[in-house]
Amino acid sequence: MAEHRTMQRDALLDAARSLLSEGGTEALTFPALAERTGLARSSVYEYFRSRAAVVEELCAVDFPVWAAEVETAMRGADTAAGKIEAYVRRQLDLVGDRRHRAVVAISASELDAGAREKIRAAHGGLIAMIGEALGELGHEQPRLAAMLLQGVVDAAVRRIELGVAEEPGVIADAAVSMALRGVLA
């Protein structure tokens, strides 16, 4: 029975990822979740009391996985500059991933305090990782530099998601160049 409930919960989270990545937070509704999973709407309420609860669960499940992928990429680099490049590139590589698209949709939406706190905590983990590399480079204010560097990454993510004129690789190269020039200056 517990395994069945876990499978249904996973199916609901997967449906939520799809809905968020396809249509943003407006698309994440209990009727849509029920339709995607084949569950009755009342069954959806057995798992989650609100949309915010679905979002909190997605953050709790997906953010750590995403952050671990960025951390793994950084660990594979030999130099502080290589770690910064890996930090930027890995996040931009993940843009096409449904988990990432769902997370971006979530981050931009109005959420309750609990969900916002989970997002802040996960972002804080990413900022701490890159702050260490910036500290290795002798940066005087590694946390501030890390926050600004994440701003470059976030802008590049939005540019890639817009599907504008530039190829994602061109955007990634420009973001890496700006990041390295900015932090090494």
Side-chain angles (χ1 to χ4, degrees):
M1 183 67 186
E3 188 177 321
H4 179 68
R5 284 191 61 80
T6 300
M7 286 174 57
Q8 286 188 328
R9 184 180 208 89
D10 290 347
L12 284 164
L13 291 175
D14 200 46
R17 283 182 199 99
S18 294
L19 290 165
L20 284 164
S21 66
E22 292 163 15
T25 49
E26 302 80 38
L28 180 61
T29 65
F30 278 32
L33 284 171
E35 185 180 325
R36 287 280 172 108
T37 57
L39 294 170
R41 196 183 314 181
S42 59
S43 296
V44 177
Y45 283 100
E46 289 176 28
Y47 292 90
F48 300 105
R49 69 189 180 286
S50 65
R51 276 186 354 160
V54 177
V55 167
E56 281 187 56
E57 183 78 13
L58 275 177
C59 291
V61 170
D62 290 351
F63 256 118
V65 173
W66 183 36
E69 290 182 28
V70 174
E71 188 174 11
T72 299
M74 287 176 69
R75 263 196 256 115
D78 298 333
T79 64
K83 287 177 184 174
I84 291 164
E85 179 168 355
Y87 176 84
V88 173
R89 286 198 188 278
R90 190 64 193 127
Q91 286 189 69
L92 297 180
D93 288 345
L94 290 169
V95 170
D97 186 298
R98 269 184 332 126
R99 288 169 308 159
H100 180 271
R101 284 201 308 268
V103 160
V104 169
I106 289 165
S107 300
S109 66
E110 288 302 313
L111 299 171
D112 70 15
R116 277 197 305 273
E117 188 49 45
K118 280 193 171 65
I119 290 170
R120 265 198 297 276
H123 272 287
L126 283 175
I127 296 298
M129 280 190 281
I130 198 61
E132 284 180 35
L134 292 164
E136 287 174 34
L137 286 171
H139 213 285
E140 289 179 24
Q141 293 184 297
R143 181 155 176 78
L144 173 60
M147 304 281 282
L148 295 174
L149 174 59
Q150 186 60 44
V152 169
V153 172
D154 293 344
V157 165
R158 283 191 298 278
R159 189 93 180 147
I160 290 170
E161 287 183 332
L162 284 172
V164 292
E166 306 93 357
E167 290 293 317
V170 171
I171 296 169
D173 290 345
V176 166
S177 178
M178 285 188 79
L180 291 175
R181 284 195 190 124
V183 299
L184 297 174

